[in-house]
């Protein structure tokens, strides 16, 4: 095992003027100081620590205030809680964890809160208070236009702060739990249906399923809602009688789903306080012979739709850009469009950063070159709300780009070349690419996916790259934007027929999962800053399901399934001492396939059958019954 270089791979602290511990030593903010001095109608929320016309809080500053509110306001004498919150703040992943947690807020009452209540979580009083304050901000509109803008600013800050507190509460409770229990959850599947696809909503409150019989052209949509500890089928109103291709939940507006059909788009909206989803027609493709084939929803609710002629192989492609207008809760029609007559080689989206990238050849024959076009808003000052593209010509000598992939924040783009080389580019403010790193690997793009070769820490300042089937190299971001080699993990020699399926790096950069066709290896870096293999699972028979692995919720808990020798599901997570420990081990009949964004629901799906769902709960012991009374919200 290679020794880490001095400081190499250690999580970088947030780039702030004062450390989290310095901020923790300041006077505890009161409710009024954090969320506004008064929430009564006709008055504007102001803060004694900030001017009314001050700049909006940065995500990291909002996170810090929310964390200090949670850790210090409720239990000012609890030094252990204070220390835990400060340690979590000083990890580089906190800002991005809170950004992802924004989408869990709408599911708080039905998902996160009952789960925390089942553990008798000490965080609940603070979370309920913050939630109630957020609801007051959302449900009141000041009469003056100028006050409305400032009020909405306070609402956004309160939302960020509550999201930060919520994600930390889930994270802290997972660490606190020495054992976890998993309960099978009933769901009303039709035994004759073939489940062809599924997706949880960003808030984890709903589960959408593409199902049908043997013919894929008979696929239809079903939506299930989480209620009273079970998934219950919800009613679809005005459902179109045409085949379903795919669907996606929107992130900006909870309870909204867009479905894609061969020539149409439909928007589904859940009716308030009712398990009914109303379908509305959004757009119809009139042009022949174009068919819609792919749909992506951005975090700002814009939609990108890809169209192509039937049986084409990327030779002709049309992209449609639907701008979302939050004022009237609708999309612009007709959408803006752009066509590519000569196709493209690779495509990637960053939903969080609202970007799309395409890699294209620029010439024919021996002088073949590469260019990457990045689509985003704000690239032209005269069209700030329109999608435009920025083109970057890659340096001469690079092999053709086979695959590209954004980091979720959209600031980095990885490319896998035809030679197996991996390139890393940074994006400037105008989305121009700047080459940061070139890495030679022993993989062929014909057999390996780029997504299986790399993983990033939660702050995207550390990257793990598979150099071979048994070697993983870490790279650390420097202040000047370049990347430097860090730790090297040497795993067991790969077998001749063993293929790499995925590598997963936890948000705090302390745990790495190596998943292949036969084995699972988990490495953990403890207090001595050395990587050690702590888990190895191996499927014994070729007839058994392939092993599977994923990160749950806050991306520090690892869930795996493997037949060693019998198929079982394990959950590993950190304890208070920073060690990685096993917290659950149960026999299962199907391999793990998917988890909800909050990490509380697991979906197990056989290759040919009906999926099963499990829910993570506290352990059942004589002094802790499984079902505990949920405290009432004020």
């Amino acid at each position: 095992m290679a020794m880490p270089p001095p400081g190499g791979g250690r999580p970088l602290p947030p780039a702030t003027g004062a450390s989290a511990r310095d901020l923790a030593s300041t006077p505890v903010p009161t409710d009024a100081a954090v969320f506004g001095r008064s929430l009564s109608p006709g008055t504007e929320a102001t803060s004694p620590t900030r001017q009314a016309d001050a700049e909006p809080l940065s995500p990291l500053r909002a996170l810090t205030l929310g964390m200090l509110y949670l850790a210090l306001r409720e239990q000012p004498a609890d030094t252990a809680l204070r220390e835990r919150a400060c340690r979590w703040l000083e990890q580089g992943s906190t800002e991005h964890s809170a950004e992802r947690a924004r989408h869990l807020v709408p599911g708080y009452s039905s998902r996160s809160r009952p789960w925390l209540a089942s553990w008798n979580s000490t965080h609940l009083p603070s979370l309920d208070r913050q939630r109630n304050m957020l609801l007051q901000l959302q449900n009141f509109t000041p009469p003056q236009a100028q006050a409305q803008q400032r009020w909405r600013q306070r609402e956004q800050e309160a939302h960020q702060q509550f999201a930060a507190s919520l994600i930390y509460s889930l994270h802290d409770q997972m660490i606190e739990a020495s054992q976890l229990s998993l309960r099978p959850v009933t769901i009303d599947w039709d035994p004759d249906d073939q489940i062809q696809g599924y997706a949880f909503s960003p808030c984890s409150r709903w589960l959408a399923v593409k199902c049908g019989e043997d013919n894929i052209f008979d696929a239809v949509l079903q939506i299930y809602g989480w209620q009273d500890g079970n998934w219950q089928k919800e009613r679809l109103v005005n459902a179109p009688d045409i085949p379903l291709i795919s669907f996606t939940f929107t992130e900006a507006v909870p309870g909204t789903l867009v479905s894609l059909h061969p020539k149409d788009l439909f928007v589904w909206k859940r009716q308030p306080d009712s398990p009914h989803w109303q379908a509305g027609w959004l757009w119809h493709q009139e042009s022949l012979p174009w068919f819609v084939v792919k749909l992506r929803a951005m975090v700002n609710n814009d939609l990108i739709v890809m169209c192509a002629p039937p049986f084409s192989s990327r030779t002709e492609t049309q992209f449609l850009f639907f701008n979302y207008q939050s004022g009237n809760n609708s999309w612009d029609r007709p959408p803006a469009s752009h066509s590519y007559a000569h196709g493209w080689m690779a495509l990637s989206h960053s939903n969080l950063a609202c970007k799309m990238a395409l890699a294209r050849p620029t010439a024919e024959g021996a002088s073949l070159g590469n260019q990457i076009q990045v689509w985003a808003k704000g690239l032209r000052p005269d069209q700030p709300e329109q999608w435009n593209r920025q083109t970057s010509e890659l340096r001469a000598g690079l092999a053709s780009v086979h695959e590209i992939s954004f980091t979720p924040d959209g600031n980095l783009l990885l490319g896998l070349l035809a030679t197996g080389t991996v390139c890393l580019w940074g994006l400037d403010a105008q989305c121009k690419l700047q080459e940061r790193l070139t890495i030679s690997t022993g993989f062929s793009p014909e057999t390996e996916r780029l997504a299986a070769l790399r993983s990033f820490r939660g702050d995207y300042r550390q990257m793990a790259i598979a150099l071979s089937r048994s070697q993983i190299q870490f790279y650390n971001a420097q202040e000047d934007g370049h990347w430097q080699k860090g730790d090297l993990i040497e795993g067991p020699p790969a077998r001749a027929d063993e293929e790499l399926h995925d590598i997963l790096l936890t948000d705090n950069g302390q745990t790495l999962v190596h998943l292949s066709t036969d084995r699972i290896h988990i490495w953990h870096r403890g207090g001595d800053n050395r990587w050690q293999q702590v888990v190895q699972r191996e499927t014994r028979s070729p007839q058994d399901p392939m092993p599977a692995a994923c990160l749950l919720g806050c991306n520090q808990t690892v869930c795996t399934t493997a037949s060693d020798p019998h198929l079982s599901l394990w959950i590993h997570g950190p304890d208070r001492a920073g060690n990685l420990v096993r917290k659950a081990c149960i026999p299962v009949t199907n391999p793990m396939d998917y988890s909800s964004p909050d990490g509380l629901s697991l979906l197990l799906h056989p290759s040919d059958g009906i999926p099963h769902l499990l829910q993570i709960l506290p352990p059942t012991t004589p002094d802790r019954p499984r079902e505990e009374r949920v405290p009432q919200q004020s």
Side-chain angles (χ1 to χ4, degrees):
M1 200 76 63
M3 286 289 292
R10 192 182 296 272
L12 297 174
T16 57
S19 71
R21 294 179 189 272
D22 293 335
L23 290 168
S25 64
T26 60
V28 178
T30 63
D31 295 354
V34 177
F35 290 99
R37 185 170 296 173
S38 173
L39 297 178
S40 58
T43 60
E44 181 195 348
T46 60
S47 167
T49 59
R50 302 177 64 245
Q51 298 296 324
D53 57 350
E55 291 295 322
L57 291 178
S58 69
L60 185 57
R61 178 62 178 165
L63 167 65
T64 304
L65 285 177
M67 289 301 306
L68 293 178
Y69 178 87
L70 172 69
L72 307 178
R73 173 65 174 85
E74 295 299 325
Q75 294 96 358
D78 191 339
T79 56
L81 179 60
R82 178 194 295 252
E83 285 296 314
R84 295 202 302 268
C86 289
R87 281 197 301 270
W88 194 72
L89 275 169
E90 288 176 347
Q91 293 177 0
S93 62
T94 51
E95 181 178 0
H96 303 282
S97 297
E99 183 69 22
R100 291 195 301 268
R102 292 187 309 109
H103 309 303
L104 301 182
V105 170
Y108 172 68
S109 298
S110 59
R111 295 280 299 183
S112 305
R113 189 181 190 282
W115 188 81
L116 290 169
S118 69
W119 291 92
N120 293 327
S121 172
T122 58
H123 297 306
L124 273 180
S126 175
L127 289 172
D128 286 344
R129 185 174 291 108
Q130 293 188 59
R131 173 62 170 168
N132 290 337
M133 291 178 181
L134 175 59
L135 291 176
Q136 290 183 55
L137 287 165
Q138 291 175 336
N139 294 331
F140 175 71
T141 301
Q144 300 86 3
Q146 187 177 7
Q148 290 178 13
Q149 182 178 359
R150 291 196 290 265
W151 192 274
R152 296 284 78 84
Q153 177 181 316
R154 300 296 185 265
E155 178 189 333
Q156 293 174 7
E157 294 173 0
H159 194 285
Q160 290 175 317
Q161 292 156 358
F162 178 59
S165 298
L166 177 58
I167 196 67
Y168 175 73
S169 301
L170 295 171
H171 161 81
D172 191 58
Q173 193 59 61
M174 276 291 192
I175 291 181
E176 180 70 24
S178 59
Q179 292 183 344
L180 298 170
S181 174
L182 291 106
R183 174 178 65 89
V185 180
T186 59
I187 190 166
D188 185 19
W189 301 115
D190 188 330
D192 295 328
D193 281 342
Q194 295 290 326
I195 307 301
Q196 303 173 14
Y198 32 77
F200 287 100
S201 64
C203 65
S204 302
R205 187 178 172 186
W206 297 290
L207 173 65
V209 180
K210 177 185 178 182
C211 56
E213 298 181 357
D214 294 333
N215 191 338
I216 62 173
F217 297 106
D218 294 332
V220 296
L221 175 69
Q222 290 182 3
I223 300 178
Y224 297 84
W226 181 257
Q227 184 177 356
D228 299 328
N230 285 291
W231 293 102
Q232 301 183 15
K233 184 181 289 188
E234 306 209 330
R235 184 186 174 195
L236 305 185
V237 181
N238 294 335
D241 188 20
I242 50 180
L244 173 70
I245 295 177
S246 66
F247 53 82
T248 182
F249 285 100
T250 63
E251 299 186 18
V253 182
T256 304
L257 179 143
V258 181
S259 61
L260 180 68
H261 306 264
K263 303 286 283 185
D264 299 89
L265 286 179
F266 283 83
V267 177
W268 301 79
K269 296 186 177 181
R270 193 176 191 270
Q271 304 305 300
D273 302 320
S274 170
H276 296 166
W277 292 73
Q278 180 81 33
W281 174 80
L282 175 61
W283 175 80
H284 175 74
Q285 173 62 279
E286 305 245 356
S287 307
L288 293 177
W290 298 98
F291 287 87
V292 290
V293 295
K294 188 175 291 188
L295 166 69
R296 295 301 293 262
M298 302 290 107
V299 73
N300 63 356
N301 246 28
D302 284 6
L303 303 175
I304 300 180
V305 176
M306 188 176 79
C307 304
F311 312 112
S312 71
S313 179
R314 302 179 183 173
T315 54
E316 294 180 84
T317 311
Q318 183 183 55
F319 290 94
L320 308 175
F321 300 91
F322 292 82
N323 284 352
Y324 182 72
Q325 302 298 328
S326 58
N328 53 15
N329 297 323
S330 64
W331 286 267
D332 285 347
R333 288 176 288 180
S337 64
H338 183 83
S339 298
Y340 287 92
H342 302 291
W344 42 272
M345 294 298 296
L347 173 70
S348 180
H349 298 83
S350 172
N351 300 354
L352 189 60
C354 304
K355 295 175 182 176
M356 179 180 75
L358 297 98
R360 307 178 65 231
T362 57
E364 300 292 339
S367 59
L368 183 68
N370 292 289
Q371 72 172 207
I372 293 180
Q373 294 184 351
V374 177
W375 287 83
K377 284 185 169 182
L379 295 180
R380 291 182 54 176
D382 58 328
Q383 297 178 341
E385 295 302 318
Q386 299 301 316
W387 286 83
N388 286 289
R389 55 180 169 164
Q390 178 68 267
T391 300
S392 296
E393 301 288 342
L394 304 187
R395 64 177 172 87
L398 287 180
S400 61
V401 179
H402 193 273
E403 193 176 354
I404 54 176
S405 174
F406 272 116
T407 52
D409 66 350
N411 292 326
L412 298 170
L413 184 70
L414 274 171
L416 178 62
L417 308 186
T419 56
T421 299
V422 174
C423 289
L424 177 69
W425 298 280
L427 280 74
D428 64 15
Q430 290 299 309
C431 294
K432 269 284 190 182
L433 298 188
Q434 300 169 340
E435 189 172 321
R436 299 300 190 193
L437 192 63
T438 301
I439 307 167
S440 297
T441 75
F443 296 102
S444 167
E446 301 298 329
T447 58
E448 304 292 344
R449 299 176 301 109
L450 177 59
L453 305 182
R454 92 296 181 267
S455 188
F456 285 85
R457 196 174 62 194
D459 61 355
Y460 314 116
R461 294 186 61 80
Q462 186 180 66
M463 173 178 62
I465 288 284
L467 303 182
S468 67
R469 289 175 175 83
S470 60
Q471 285 186 323
I472 298 176
Q473 178 70 60
F474 284 85
Y475 291 87
N476 304 308
Q478 307 302 301
E479 292 301 326
D480 61 0
H482 291 84
W483 291 68
Q484 185 177 2
K485 277 187 179 181
D487 303 345
L488 175 67
I489 291 182
E490 293 271 6
R495 298 163 182 164
D497 57 347
E498 189 175 12
E499 296 179 3
L500 177 63
H501 271 199
D502 211 350
I503 57 174
L504 306 170
L505 183 63
T506 56
D507 267 9
N508 61 0
Q510 300 297 309
T511 304
L512 181 85
V513 183
H514 179 283
L515 175 66
S516 71
T517 50
D518 303 320
R519 295 181 289 181
I520 301 172
H521 300 281
I522 301 180
W523 284 271
H524 183 70
R525 184 171 53 191
D528 60 357
N529 212 30
R530 295 169 180 257
W531 286 100
Q532 294 184 349
Q533 182 173 311
V534 293
V535 178
Q536 177 173 332
R537 306 195 66 184
E538 182 175 348
T539 296
R540 307 294 175 84
S541 171
Q543 285 73 41
D544 290 330
M546 285 193 300
C550 73
L551 301 179
L552 302 181
C554 303
N555 283 354
Q556 293 190 26
T557 305
V558 182
C559 178
T560 61
T561 54
S563 301
D564 47 2
H566 305 293
L567 187 62
S568 60
L569 183 147
W570 296 1
I571 295 179
H572 288 80
D575 63 8
R576 287 288 179 222
N579 302 312
L580 192 72
V581 298
R582 191 168 72 180
K583 303 193 174 190
C585 175
I586 64 167
V588 292
T589 56
N590 300 317
M592 188 272 306
D593 187 54
Y594 194 49
S595 67
S596 59
D598 60 12
L600 305 182
S601 295
L602 304 177
L603 193 147
L604 314 180
H605 193 188
S607 56
D608 53 349
I610 297 297
H612 297 158
L613 285 134
L614 298 174
Q615 192 72 9
I616 296 178
L617 296 170
T620 304
T621 61
D623 59 340
R624 178 189 283 275
R626 171 172 288 165
E627 298 296 336
E628 293 186 284
R629 184 177 181 83
V630 177
Q632 295 296 314
Q633 272 188 271
S634 58

